[in-house]
Amino acid sequence: MSKKSFAEYVANTQVWKSIFRHGPPDNARNRAAVVAGNVFLHLHPIKLKKSGVQLGYTWCMGGLTFFIFLALTITGVLLMFYYRPTAEYAFTDIIALREHVPLGIMRELHRWGAHAMVITVWIHMFRVFMTGSYKPPREFNWGVGVILLTLTLLLSFTGYLLPWDQLAIWAITVGSNMAKATPLLGHGGPGAALAKIGDFVMVSDKNDVRFQLLGGRFVGEAALLRFYILHCVFIPIVVAVLIAVHFWRVRKDGGISAPL
Amino acid sequence: MKELINFLSIPQYAFTSLLILFFIGIKKIDFVGSKKFGKILFWGTIIFFLWAMTDSVFFATISWPDNIPIGILIAIVLWSTWFSIHKAVENDARIAKGEPPIEGTPENREKVWTWPNLVYTELFAIIACTIFLVVWAILFKAPLEEPANPTWAPNPAKAPWYFLGLQEMLVYFDPWLAGVVLPGMIIVGLCAIPYIDINPLGNGYYTFKQRKFAITTFLFGWLVLWIFLIIVGTFLRGPNWTFYGPFEFWDHHKVVAENNINLSEIFWIKLLNVGLPQNIFLREILGILGTIGYFASVPLITKYWGKNYLKRMGNIRYYLMIGLMLVMMSLPIKMYLRWLINLKYIVFMPEFEFNI
Ligand code: HEM
């Protein structure tokens, strides 16, 4: 059997045809069908303006941010198999991961991927600004993007604590100490001292925003659990939902921006 | 040479040079966007990094695994800025000749099939990105330091690199401003951009001339404030958050005399020679008035600069924009006050934890 006819044979099997319900995308009808019929590809329109597909226009930065987010989800799940978020085990689990998993680069991929995502999301925003793509009708989607950017930073920040080494707890201590200075809501912030009824102090280090964030007055085991849940469950879900909104709006706002 | 760079990286000199370079760049935008400048920038950054890495101190900083992304970031920021300016300048030349921007030529307006035109580009980007990450992951181990020890703080204790701009702001502002109010204003300000900027031109293509003010303001915040402060916080701050040049060894015993004083002390003690008043509001009156005056200067700004903007934008947009810009400019202003007259606080009311 020659190569050509083997490929033809496969493409004619019932299995293949049950998965790909159209012929090869070399004519207009099938090119439309392949994009419209695939749940991932149908994020795209079937046709788009030539200016919008050029790498020089979008730099593919939004797309890469999304790709890295997916890669982080997968490597993150793999890491969760080995990691227990308690003061007793967190650090040693990371050591074990390093020493007992042969050729393991999951932790590296996850960490460098997280850094890379911060960079790509910033550059994506920069590109969107420089092409004026936030202008009507895309104002709202820019706002969704700003929230995504903030959440990306928070994802990275909450993950920073999980290795439970010196770098982790002190970086988070520096960061979360900011919360204590929140006006009115942090016990070291302006106005908190005024929130007093007689001797009763309303905002103290036992109930202010930093306490809520850390589950305590310092970065301890409660903070580790909170950050773990925020990092592995809550923020990723919110980000995933917002990315869906973001993509939907890119389409509904008329696709990639182009001169009017 | 290294001595010179160490000297020039002292924040006040580095910031002033950057400021001057930035505005020269804006004035000479056509040159910045030229291929020639792009080549200089490209090879300049590469040669600088290679040369600097021959220095053991610089090498130790840049090759510390968690700092590598900042090296990448700096390169990408410089190149992407150049690239967008380059495309903008090209388009501006076309527009000046009466042609549409390159994105708007009939050929580029035509619709093409997503498959294969877009999907293959995406596939290529994904593969390139994967290779890049895998190589990075193989070359550099993720760092792991001593187990967490709540009783012993490393010095310096640094936040992750993307927050070092905020941590660097702590030098000039108290945490309630540097860590809460200003970051909040950045988020609000970013969200507000599309509603403030009602210039209909420059939507969907690169241009500079049609959006001069918007782009200059954004680049100022992005490059001169955000990226610059991150670089300072990462590369130039050592133990006790003291300044160290990029080629300077982190000597833990370096002592820098801190003789910063508050505005109230300058006013009552140095100038009037009468000692601080008991009443805190009287004591801080100058700073309070100064701060109020800063934000109350809006009518003056409008009169001499913003009249046309006000007419075009309407009240809400205009005042929101001016407010946000005054907040943004408060950072360089406070930085210069620190450098020029060693000013610590403009308003110092520790009684309410209210220090500006
Ligand atoms: C998790 C973060 C984000 C992801 C995954 C994401 C993804 C994307 C993708 C795939 C596109 C299609 C075009 C392109 O690739 O450039 C896009 C467009 C867009 N993004 Fe994002 N983005 C994110 C964050 C942001 C941020 C931070 C902003 C701005 C503050 C933003 C604003 C926009 C806008 C306005 C568009 C429409 C651009 C146009 O039509 O040319 N996004 N985004």
Side-chain angles (χ1 to χ4, degrees):
Chain A
M1 231 189 305
S2 77
K3 228 182 185 171
K4 169 92 178 158
S5 62
F6 179 69
E8 251 166 40
Y9 170 75
V10 171
N12 274 315
T13 55
Q14 190 184 354
V15 176
W16 181 274
K17 284 208 277 192
S18 71
I19 304 174
F20 303 104
R21 302 176 48 170
H22 48 73
D26 51 11
N27 58 43
R29 191 177 159 275
N30 286 345
R31 282 176 175 174
V34 67
V35 172
N38 180 304
V39 67
F40 305 106
L41 290 182
H42 100 290
L43 290 175
H44 301 307
I46 291 170
K47 278 183 131 184
L48 26 66
K49 287 210 185 89
K50 195 161 175 215
S51 63
V53 266
Q54 281 159 353
L55 202 53
Y57 185 71
T58 63
W59 311 349
C60 218
M61 275 301 154
L64 280 185
T65 310
F66 181 50
F67 171 67
I68 297 176
F69 176 71
L70 294 180
L72 288 173
T73 310
I74 294 168
T75 52
V77 168
L78 292 176
L79 289 175
M80 284 171 79
F81 290 146
Y82 293 89
Y83 176 86
R84 288 163 287 180
T86 62
E88 189 183 350
Y89 292 122
F91 183 77
T92 49
D93 281 351
I94 302 276
I95 298 261
L97 188 71
R98 182 148 84 169
E99 290 180 353
H100 301 316
V101 183
L103 300 178
I105 55 166
M106 281 310 138
R107 196 176 154 233
E108 280 69 23
L109 279 180
H110 197 73
R111 194 178 185 100
W112 304 146
H115 287 317
M117 184 171 167
V118 172
I119 296 177
T120 54
V121 79
W122 285 1
I123 301 297
H124 172 57
M125 177 172 92
F126 180 69
R127 175 311 270 182
V128 170
F129 184 88
M130 293 305 277
T131 53
S133 305
Y134 58 83
K135 300 190 175 200
R138 298 184 179 78
E139 309 99 304
F140 176 73
N141 215 15
W142 167 272
V144 174
V146 174
I147 307 300
L148 276 171
L149 171 99
T150 315
L151 289 173
T152 304
L153 294 181
L154 288 179
L155 258 182
S156 212
F157 182 69
T158 46
Y160 215 74
L161 180 64
L162 304 184
W164 205 241
D165 61 348
Q166 280 289 73
L167 197 62
I169 69 159
W170 289 102
I172 303 306
T173 303
V174 170
S176 58
N177 267 341
M178 301 291 138
K180 117 180 137 186
T182 313
L184 296 175
L185 299 177
H187 75 275
L194 299 177
K196 244 196 299 208
I197 304 176
D199 277 347
F200 178 69
V201 183
M202 287 205 283
V203 183
S204 75
D205 62 350
K206 291 189 203 63
N207 65 9
D208 68 349
V209 276
R210 189 184 60 160
F211 190 95
Q212 308 305 333
L213 181 68
L214 298 179
R217 281 174 297 163
F218 50 87
V219 180
E221 186 147 19
L224 181 59
L225 185 60
R226 281 189 188 199
F227 275 49
Y228 176 76
I229 292 169
L230 287 175
H231 182 77
C232 301
V233 183
F234 185 69
I235 306 181
I237 290 178
V238 179
V239 168
V241 171
L242 283 180
I243 287 182
V245 175
H246 195 60
F247 287 4
W248 180 255
R249 287 301 295 248
V250 171
R251 293 286 302 274
K252 294 295 140 185
D253 294 341
I256 304 296
S257 59
L260 298 173
Chain B
M1 185 72 185
K2 286 178 186 167
E3 308 276 279
L4 180 72
I5 294 181
N6 277 343
F7 178 74
L8 284 179
S9 353
I10 297 176
Q12 50 266 51
Y13 305 134
F15 188 76
T16 310
S17 328
L18 182 63
L19 215 55
I20 295 171
L21 281 179
F22 178 78
F23 284 107
I24 294 180
I26 294 291
K27 268 257 161 317
K28 300 259 172 262
I29 199 80
D30 287 330
F31 177 65
V32 173
S34 67
K35 286 220 165 93
K36 190 159 137 217
F37 185 80
K39 276 188 199 134
I40 299 176
L41 192 72
F42 182 76
W43 291 110
T45 28
I46 290 187
I47 291 170
F48 175 79
F49 269 110
L50 288 179
W51 169 74
M53 279 203 286
T54 59
D55 183 277
S56 61
V57 173
F58 187 87
F59 185 78
T61 321
I62 189 90
S63 66
W64 189 63
D66 268 342
N67 278 350
I68 288 171
I70 316 180
I72 298 174
L73 176 77
I74 295 172
I76 292 188
V77 162
L78 288 176
W79 299 341
S80 65
T81 305
W82 174 79
F83 187 68
S84 57
I85 298 285
H86 170 66
K87 300 202 69 148
V89 166
E90 272 187 352
N91 272 345
D92 288 341
R94 293 176 62 92
I95 294 167
K97 278 191 281 178
E99 296 168 13
I102 201 92
E103 293 87 350
T105 57
E107 186 205 346
N108 276 332
R109 280 173 177 275
E110 220 157 87
K111 293 225 168 178
V112 295
W113 291 104
T114 298
W115 186 297
N117 298 288
L118 180 56
V119 284
Y120 279 92
T121 314
E122 286 179 340
L123 186 68
F124 167 77
I126 287 176
I127 292 174
C129 177
T130 310
I131 294 176
F132 182 79
L133 284 178
V134 169
V135 170
W136 188 359
I138 292 173
L139 288 182
F140 295 95
K141 280 257 142 259
L144 191 65
E145 300 196 346
E146 304 286 299
N149 178 356
T151 58
W152 181 79
N155 185 4
K158 289 194 179 185
W161 60 270
Y162 38 82
F163 285 146
L164 283 186
L166 301 178
Q167 201 177 353
E168 176 64 19
M169 287 204 300
L170 284 175
V171 174
Y172 308 100
F173 283 118
D174 264 13
W176 73 275
L177 282 169
V180 185
V181 173
L182 291 175
M185 293 301 244
I186 296 176
I187 296 174
V188 172
L190 283 174
C191 287
I193 286 178
Y195 304 98
I196 294 177
D197 177 9
I198 51 167
N199 173 5
L201 296 176
N203 184 349
Y205 53 97
Y206 290 93
T207 171
F208 178 77
K209 299 232 160 67
Q210 296 183 339
R211 301 172 55 208
K212 233 180 198 161
F213 180 64
I215 291 186
T216 308
T217 315
F218 187 81
L219 283 181
F220 181 82
W222 166 238
L223 297 175
V224 181
L225 297 180
W226 186 248
I227 297 290
F228 171 78
L229 288 183
I230 289 180
I231 294 174
V232 173
T234 311
F235 292 113
L236 307 178
R237 294 294 181 182
N240 306 324
W241 215 253
T242 315
F243 167 81
Y244 288 85
F247 305 110
E248 188 177 341
F249 177 68
W250 281 13
D251 172 5
H252 278 249
H253 303 291
K254 177 169 174 175
V255 186
V256 179
E258 283 264 347
N259 41 15
N260 299 328
I261 58 174
N262 300 324
L263 186 62
S264 47
E265 291 162 343
I266 298 183
F267 180 64
W268 294 106
I269 300 178
K270 279 199 164 168
L271 228 60
L272 298 187
N273 224 339
V274 292
L276 292 176
Q278 282 295 312
N279 182 309
I280 45 179
F281 293 102
L282 181 61
R283 187 185 73 205
E284 301 299 331
I285 189 76
L286 196 62
I288 295 174
L289 288 180
T291 310
I292 295 176
Y294 178 64
F295 286 99
S297 68
V298 174
L300 272 178
I301 299 179
T302 310
K303 186 160 169 228
Y304 289 103
W305 174 83
K307 259 193 306 229
N308 290 332
Y309 284 100
L310 177 60
K311 217 178 289 157
R312 226 179 308 146
M313 297 167 71
N315 285 325
I316 299 183
R317 286 198 183 88
Y318 176 77
Y319 289 115
L320 183 63
M321 174 181 82
I322 296 287
L324 287 168
M325 286 180 59
L326 285 176
V327 171
M328 176 161 100
M329 294 316 288
S330 69
L331 176 64
I333 290 175
K334 185 82 195 278
M335 284 156 71
Y336 273 109
L337 286 175
R338 173 68 52 81
W339 296 329
L340 293 175
I341 58 171
N342 284 325
L343 185 76
K344 189 161 173 61
Y345 290 118
I346 298 171
V347 176
F348 179 62
M349 299 206 252
E351 295 85 349
F352 312 113
E353 307 276 1
F354 185 81
N355 308 323
I356 300 176

